[in-house]
Amino acid sequence: PQKFRYLAGETIQLSAIAGEGWKFMNWRYFESLSGQIDSSKPDIEIVINDTAVLLPVFGTGINPAVIGQGKIRLNPQLDLYPCGIELNAMALPGEGRYLSQWGGALSGKAPVTRHTVTEPEPAFTALFGRLPKGKFNLTVTVEGPGRVRVDPPQNLFEAGEEVTLTAEETGEAEIFTNYSGDLDSDEKNVSFTIQKNTSITANFIDRNMLQNG
């Protein structure tokens, strides 16, 4: 029965119903329900013995599209992205190309941008243009959990222009380790000048992995 209060020992049947564009992923619940349910099934039955909180998790797919020569890489890379998750979308220009513009659910020209999934099947589009003579592109990728801000937030630079990268740990379990590639630094906030096509990776690790190791 559907009500707000239940007597101890009552049995409740619950069904998670996904909206259009979403798929059921699992149930989240407190330890008081541990062992009672199969969290992977949308239809479950529980016996109330204590205060119970259950949250159905729904996810959606993302299909990146590119115009021109280049790729889009997502971090994390998942089949389904739970509603509310934050992810990095990274532009990987092809030879002699640069990111001209993000489109769809994304905007701007930064080589890496952050998106929070709140709508089903968000469209990620990257437009790549031919690299103008005398200018250089910047590719920034993220490995592990974390985010990077690029200032100025663009992908196309002239020789001698200064760029600042700021690595951000978005959760208590995240640790920034270093930048690698064309930049070698363990400082979160670092500035440098563009002299060529530049590719940099910001590396993060999960603190829990260190503890478990």
Side-chain angles (χ1 to χ4, degrees), residues 15-122:
S15 295
I17 302 173
E20 184 176 355
W22 296 98
K23 292 184 178 180
F24 172 77
M25 296 182 67
N26 59 270
W27 292 93
R28 289 180 182 169
Y29 55 90
F30 288 115
E31 291 183 0
S32 61
L33 295 171
S34 180
Q36 278 206 55
I37 66 174
D38 182 345
S39 63
S40 65
K41 294 183 177 180
D43 300 312
I44 60 173
E45 185 176 278
I46 64 171
V47 177
I48 292 294
N49 293 311
D50 199 350
T51 299
V53 178
L54 291 96
L55 298 174
V57 179
F58 299 97
T60 188
I62 298 176
N63 293 311
V66 299
I67 301 173
Q69 298 180 24
K71 298 179 181 179
I72 297 175
R73 180 182 166 196
L74 303 181
N75 177 24
Q77 293 180 311
L78 305 173
D79 293 329
L80 291 177
Y81 289 85
C83 183
I85 192 174
E86 291 188 0
L87 61 106
N88 296 300
M90 298 164 283
L92 309 178
E95 184 71 24
R97 299 296 190 270
Y98 76 102
L99 174 68
S100 177
Q101 184 72 46
W102 288 107
L106 306 176
S107 61
K109 301 179 180 181
V112 56
T113 187
R114 193 83 165 173
H115 179 79
T116 302
V117 176
T118 58
E119 299 293 333
E121 300 174 344

Side-chain angles (χ1 to χ4, degrees), residues 63-182:
N63 293 311
V66 299
I67 301 173
Q69 298 180 24
K71 298 179 181 179
I72 297 175
R73 180 182 166 196
L74 303 181
N75 177 24
Q77 293 180 311
L78 305 173
D79 293 329
L80 291 177
Y81 289 85
C83 183
I85 192 174
E86 291 188 0
L87 61 106
N88 296 300
M90 298 164 283
L92 309 178
E95 184 71 24
R97 299 296 190 270
Y98 76 102
L99 174 68
S100 177
Q101 184 72 46
W102 288 107
L106 306 176
S107 61
K109 301 179 180 181
V112 56
T113 187
R114 193 83 165 173
H115 179 79
T116 302
V117 176
T118 58
E119 299 293 333
E121 300 174 344
F124 289 5
T125 304
L127 172 62
F128 294 98
R130 187 179 298 276
L131 196 62
K133 185 177 181 179
K135 294 194 176 184
F136 303 99
N137 64 32
L138 171 64
T139 301
V140 178
T141 56
V142 178
E143 292 290 345
R147 66 183 294 174
V148 177
R149 296 187 185 275
V150 182
D151 185 27
Q154 62 193 53
N155 177 246
L156 185 64
F157 296 90
E158 294 183 359
E161 282 194 79
E162 185 173 272
V163 182
T164 299
L165 300 183
T166 303
E168 298 180 352
E169 298 159 349
T170 57
E172 293 183 359
E174 299 168 6
I175 302 175
F176 170 74
T177 59
N178 68 302
Y179 293 106
S180 58
D182 290 324

